[in-house]
Amino acid sequence: SSGINAEYGSNLQRQQIDESFRSLFDVGLCDDMMNVVNKGNFFETVKALLLKPVDYDVECLREAIMEANESVICEMLCTRTHSELTDILSTYESVFESAVKEDLENFIGDHRHLYLSILESPRDRDNTVDENLVTEHLNKLISAERSRWDLVSNPDVIPILTTNNFTHLRAVFKEFQKRDKGNMEMIESSIKKSLHDEFLSMCLVMWVKSIKNVTRLFSELLYQSVTSLTADSARVIRIVVGRSEIDLNQIKSHYMMQYNKQLQQAVQQKCGNDHAYSTIITMIIKN
């Protein structure tokens, strides 16, 4: 029951409990649990609750890079703020004695240039909008759309999307949606429809959606995770625990608005057979 009660209090309070436990018994809570709890979704949820958020992110990112799991790499690089990513990069390097950039170059093939560009993005560090550049960037994106998002003949697309701050890019996306009378298609829909490289399309769409509204993106990712044939419990844990002290309430509201169902109910219906995991994850969502 100590595991199931682990969601109460803040991550900082759980760190203090873990420290006290370690000083009393000379072993961390997670290590101790490994002796009595089967490794599975319940254990992973408790581990995510007990680790510092940056340490859990670093562990997930390292595993994704080593396994070349591009969907997870993309999610993690696209959805973190500049400040969060800075912490992830420095912690990763101190834990694994290698840089994220080097590991991406060594272990990821065709799409590493996009991940490295996203890694360098200014994100939310600035909010200036240059109206002249908005027009210039808009025209280049429209040109790319006309060639079905051929990134070889439109080499400016990725630099436009990754070297400008989010406020500027939101202004560009807003104008893109007004580009033709009668065509209100959003940029992410256009990319998804026409860009044939599946992983490149997935990552660019995720990046654009995170720029527009990362909370809504998390809601969509959770929906995909609990409506796919096999539940993507790892992603559910990453998002639910990772956002529990940031914007989980807003994610729940978005989920209800978009899918007309409570997130807690959706997770219970999909994962109810795994009782311990279903109980703890729905308690985090509820509280």
Side-chain angles (χ1 to χ4, degrees), residues 1 4 8 21 37 63 75 117 134 138 142 148 174-176 181 187 190 194 206 216 219-220 224-226 231 263 281:
S1 91
I4 293 191
Y8 291 111
F21 189 93
V37 176
E63 186 179 305
E75 174 202 319
S117 299
V134 167
L138 171 67
I142 289 171
R148 301 185 66 78
K174 192 174 178 183
E175 292 306 311
F176 186 91
K181 270 192 173 176
I187 185 169
S190 176
S194 302
M206 201 179 290
R216 183 183 291 271
S219 170
E220 288 182 23
Q224 291 166 16
S225 300
V226 297
L263 175 59
I281 206 79

Side-chain angles (χ1 to χ4, degrees), residues 110-141:
D110 297 344
H111 306 118
R112 64 177 180 267
H113 68 290
L114 175 58
Y115 300 136
L116 294 172
S117 299
I118 287 173
L119 210 53
E120 301 293 327
S121 165
R123 301 176 187 248
D124 49 356
R125 268 185 296 175
D126 185 19
N127 59 5
T128 54
V129 177
D130 183 327
E131 294 300 338
N132 292 327
L133 270 181
V134 167
T135 304
E136 182 188 321
H137 292 159
L138 171 67
N139 290 333
K140 285 182 175 177
L141 292 177

Side-chain angles (χ1 to χ4, degrees), residues 12-266:
L12 180 61
Q13 287 169 315
R14 293 193 292 272
Q15 297 300 316
Q16 291 164 345
I17 292 166
D18 190 36
E19 259 179 55
S20 300
F21 189 93
R22 192 182 296 272
S23 67
L24 284 170
F25 303 108
D26 206 30
V27 63
L29 267 169
C30 247
D31 294 330
D32 194 48
M33 278 186 59
M34 285 177 74
N35 298 320
V36 290
V37 176
N38 291 330
K39 275 195 170 182
N41 293 328
F42 174 77
F43 176 78
E44 285 300 317
T45 307
V46 175
K47 183 172 76 171
L49 286 163
L50 290 172
L51 287 174
K52 291 177 185 172
V54 66
D55 291 338
Y56 189 66
D57 271 355
V58 162
E59 189 175 296
C60 291
L61 182 58
R62 173 72 171 191
E63 186 179 305
I65 293 173
M66 293 299 115
E67 294 176 358
N69 187 333
E70 298 204 40
S71 175
V72 176
I73 295 168
C74 189
E75 174 202 319
M76 299 201 68
L77 296 187
C78 286
T79 58
R80 299 317 188 249
T81 64
H82 179 259
S83 170
E84 288 166 345
L85 197 57
T86 302
D87 288 345
I88 288 167
L89 297 183
S90 63
T91 305
Y92 187 104
E93 193 157 354
S94 67
V95 172
F96 299 112
E97 297 181 349
S98 64
V100 169
K101 187 176 177 182
E102 289 168 10
D103 283 353
L104 285 170
E105 286 173 338
N106 291 334
F107 295 100
I108 303 300
D110 297 344
H111 306 118
R112 64 177 180 267
H113 68 290
L114 175 58
Y115 300 136
L116 294 172
S117 299
I118 287 173
L119 210 53
E120 301 293 327
S121 165
R123 301 176 187 248
D124 49 356
R125 268 185 296 175
D126 185 19
N127 59 5
T128 54
V129 177
D130 183 327
E131 294 300 338
N132 292 327
L133 270 181
V134 167
T135 304
E136 182 188 321
H137 292 159
L138 171 67
N139 290 333
K140 285 182 175 177
L141 292 177
I142 289 171
S143 173
E145 182 187 42
R146 287 180 182 142
S147 65
R148 301 185 66 78
W149 298 102
D150 178 352
L151 300 181
V152 175
S153 57
N154 297 277
D156 289 333
V157 169
I158 289 175
I160 286 170
L161 294 177
T162 56
T163 62
N164 294 283
N165 72 70
F166 284 2
T167 309
H168 174 87
L169 287 168
R170 287 180 195 122
V172 175
F173 298 159
K174 192 174 178 183
E175 292 306 311
F176 186 91
Q177 202 173 340
K178 299 189 287 191
R179 65 200 177 283
D180 290 324
K181 270 192 173 176
N183 181 10
M184 292 293 285
E185 187 175 37
M186 293 182 286
I187 185 169
E188 62 269 33
S189 306
S190 176
I191 292 170
K192 189 175 181 180
K193 184 173 72 179
S194 302
L195 182 58
H196 293 307
D197 183 318
E198 185 184 346
F199 277 111
L200 201 53
S201 171
M202 173 204 68
C203 197
L204 276 179
V205 166
M206 201 179 290
W207 179 236
V208 168
K209 286 183 174 182
S210 74
I211 293 167
K212 285 183 159 188
N213 187 330
V214 74
T215 304
R216 183 183 291 271
L217 170 62
F218 279 127
S219 170
E220 288 182 23
L221 292 174
L222 284 168
Y223 179 76
Q224 291 166 16
S225 300
V226 297
T227 54
S228 59
L229 196 59
T230 307
D232 187 347
S233 295
R235 176 166 272 168
V236 173
I237 294 164
R238 258 193 326 275
I239 296 175
V240 169
V241 178
R243 307 305 292 190
S244 60
E245 293 181 41
I246 303 171
D247 57 357
L248 186 56
N249 279 333
Q250 292 96 305
I251 291 169
K252 285 158 62 177
S253 298
H254 270 295
Y255 196 96
M256 188 68 193
M257 282 190 297
Q258 284 175 278
Y259 308 114
N260 199 29
K261 180 178 267 191
Q262 288 185 337
L263 175 59
Q264 182 186 340
Q265 183 189 9

